[in-house]
Amino acid sequence: MLRIAICAPSRPIVEQDAVRVIALADEFPGLDLHFHPQCFLEQGHFAGSDSARVDALAECANDPQFDAVWFARGGYGAARVAEDAIARMGREADRKTFLGYSDGGMILGGLYANKIGRQVHAPMPTDIRREGGDAAVRRTLGWLAGERGGLEPSLDQHPTVAFNLMTLAMLCGTPLMPGLAGHVVMVEEVAEYHYAIDRLFFHITAHLGAVAGLRLGRVNMVPENDAPFLHDEEAIARHWCARHAIPYLGRADVGHDIDNKIVPFGVAGGAAGK
């Protein structure tokens, strides 16, 4: 039996979402899900106070009864708790798998930088709210149960990471930023203007020296600017990759949507492990 703790380092979820996710997990007899009560706390934008979110994340990571920690939801907040929570993690955290995406990438990046556990870009419980979101949640549950059909199809011999573009840009230059030399870096974005995407690529490509290449995931819900920017997201990615001699490797099947695929960090070919 694989026991999975679920906490919310960023924004909260509602109990009805948890009930629906637990019902889906019943399709996978080898999985046992436990939602930490902190998932349902609300303090303005956040799932409880900073200290409550630090406590819950550290508790789930250090609890020997759990094998994995799954982030309930993204939305800004993880940056305020990641360093303090990681500093409190002990040996038990090192044997765990941590899963999430979007704002959760702040914690995944910090864990990867500190070589704590195994990190996985994967759909989260909150994806149950999307139309057709059952498929996304099942993808993560299936991967935890041993299925590999949900992996991003381009995974090869290179270690790989996947991040939301804004999240990766905020990681750059901080103690949470892992070394990514030799990695394929996948990025995706949602609800940003093309000029903002260009600005983010300007920043991240300056910090990605010696990577094996970059893949561009989906860029969804781009607002319409008051004047045409003239460059779409792929043209932007190609421009900044060329400027910094980063191989542009094409598209990746990751994004803020129900088709978001699974990317284990630092693992050639997507096999489990560090």
Side-chain angles (χ1 to χ4, degrees), residues 111-122:
L111 291 167
Y112 195 44
N114 285 277
K115 299 180 171 58
I116 298 173
R118 296 165 297 280
Q119 304 76 36
V120 184
H121 165 104

Side-chain angles (χ1 to χ4, degrees), residues 204-222:
I204 69 160
T205 51
H207 288 81
L208 294 181
V211 298
L214 182 140
R215 286 189 178 275
L216 178 64
R218 284 178 291 282
V219 177
N220 298 328
M221 299 172 58
V222 178

Side-chain angles (χ1 to χ4, degrees), residues 194-204 229 236 240:
H194 277 128
Y195 72 80
I197 293 165
D198 192 76
R199 182 188 293 140
L200 292 169
F201 267 103
F202 156 76
H203 183 64
I204 69 160
F229 188 67
I236 291 167
W240 290 106

Side-chain angles (χ1 to χ4, degrees), residues 69-85:
V69 179
W70 195 11
F71 307 144
R73 184 180 176 182
Y76 178 73
R80 296 177 63 94
V81 303
E83 289 185 67
D84 289 343

Side-chain angles (χ1 to χ4, degrees), residues 44-57:
H45 174 91
F46 304 105
S49 65
D50 289 354
S51 60
R53 300 197 319 281
V54 169
D55 288 346
L57 178 54

Side-chain angles (χ1 to χ4, degrees), residues 160-195:
T160 304
V161 294
F163 288 102
N164 169 257
L165 182 60
M166 177 69 79
T167 301
L168 179 57
M170 296 303 101
L171 282 170
C172 290
T174 76
L176 297 173
M177 179 65 178
L180 297 178
H183 288 63
V184 171
V185 178
M186 300 181 180
V187 293
E188 53 81 22
E189 191 50 86
V190 63
E192 294 287 351
Y193 287 96
H194 277 128
Y195 72 80

Side-chain angles (χ1 to χ4, degrees), residues 8-9 15-16 51 61 80 98 111 134 140 147 152 155 173 178 188 190-191 205 212 214 224 233 244 251 257 264:
E15 293 194 27
Q16 296 94 316
S51 60
R80 296 177 63 94
F98 296 83
L111 291 167
D134 289 16
T140 298
E147 298 174 5
E152 209 288 328
L155 295 173
E188 53 81 22
V190 63
T205 51
L214 182 140
E224 185 175 350
E233 57 270 17
H244 290 276
R251 303 306 293 252
D257 52 40

